[in-house]
Amino acid sequence: HGASKAATTHNKSPTSPPPHPNFNGAGYLYKAPSLLGGWQKRWFVLDNGIMSYFETQADFARRKKKGEFTVVGAIIKVEPDKKCPLSLDACCFSIDPPGMSSRGRYLLAAEDKATMYQWMDVIKQEK
């Protein structure tokens, strides 16, 4: 009995594995439009506190980066549905990189809530 109790206590400790052990910080997200165009599906990769994005996963393999920004010290929050396309309702979040005004905000959307929270949790661990 004592061993199972210890195991349960251990699972709740701060040293327990991350909440999404199968999520590696790479995948497709939708990026809010710049001044021109609509929402863009982009391949995002989080590595050492830097979020890079590519047009496709194949472009990542070819190292054809579209852009990048730091997430260490960034403000990450869920965004109201009205800021997102109807098909992505309730799956939007924003990242405000440190030292940037709200004009430097990245508005992103995932395919579903579970994916959105995976990204948010992994990004928050970079702080």
Side-chain angles (χ1 to χ4, degrees):
H1 291 288
S4 64
K5 196 172 193 179
T8 304
T9 306
H10 176 71
N11 288 341
K12 293 179 182 177
S13 74
T15 57
S16 62
H20 311 287
N22 297 325
F23 181 67
N24 62 359
Y28 281 105
L29 290 170
Y30 293 87
K31 184 177 168 293
S34 53
L35 295 175
L36 302 170
W39 283 75
Q40 303 155 333
K41 189 174 185 179
R42 296 287 182 250
W43 181 259
F44 280 82
V45 176
L46 178 62
D47 186 35
N48 288 329
I50 302 292
M51 187 89 134
S52 302
Y53 56 97
F54 305 80
E55 197 159 323
T56 63
Q57 187 175 3
D59 281 352
F60 167 68
R62 292 191 289 262
R63 302 180 190 275
K64 291 178 63 180
K65 191 185 301 181
K66 297 282 286 182
E68 68 179 26
F69 54 95
T70 184
V71 298
V72 176
I75 298 167
I76 302 131
K77 63 182 180 181
V78 175
E79 287 292 335
D81 296 349
K82 66 179 184 254
K83 291 191 176 181
C84 295
L86 287 175
S87 62
L88 299 170
D89 258 6
C91 302
C92 278
F93 64 104
S94 64
I95 302 172
D96 287 318
M100 300 282 280
S101 67
S102 62
R103 294 183 68 176
R105 173 176 294 152
Y106 287 85
L107 186 59
L108 305 172
E111 295 275 353
D112 54 57
K113 271 190 175 179
T115 303
M116 177 187 75
Y117 285 116
Q118 282 180 336
W119 274 105
M120 291 180 72
D121 288 347
V122 169
I123 291 166
K124 287 175 184 174
Q125 289 173 18
E126 294 291 317
K127 291 185 172 187

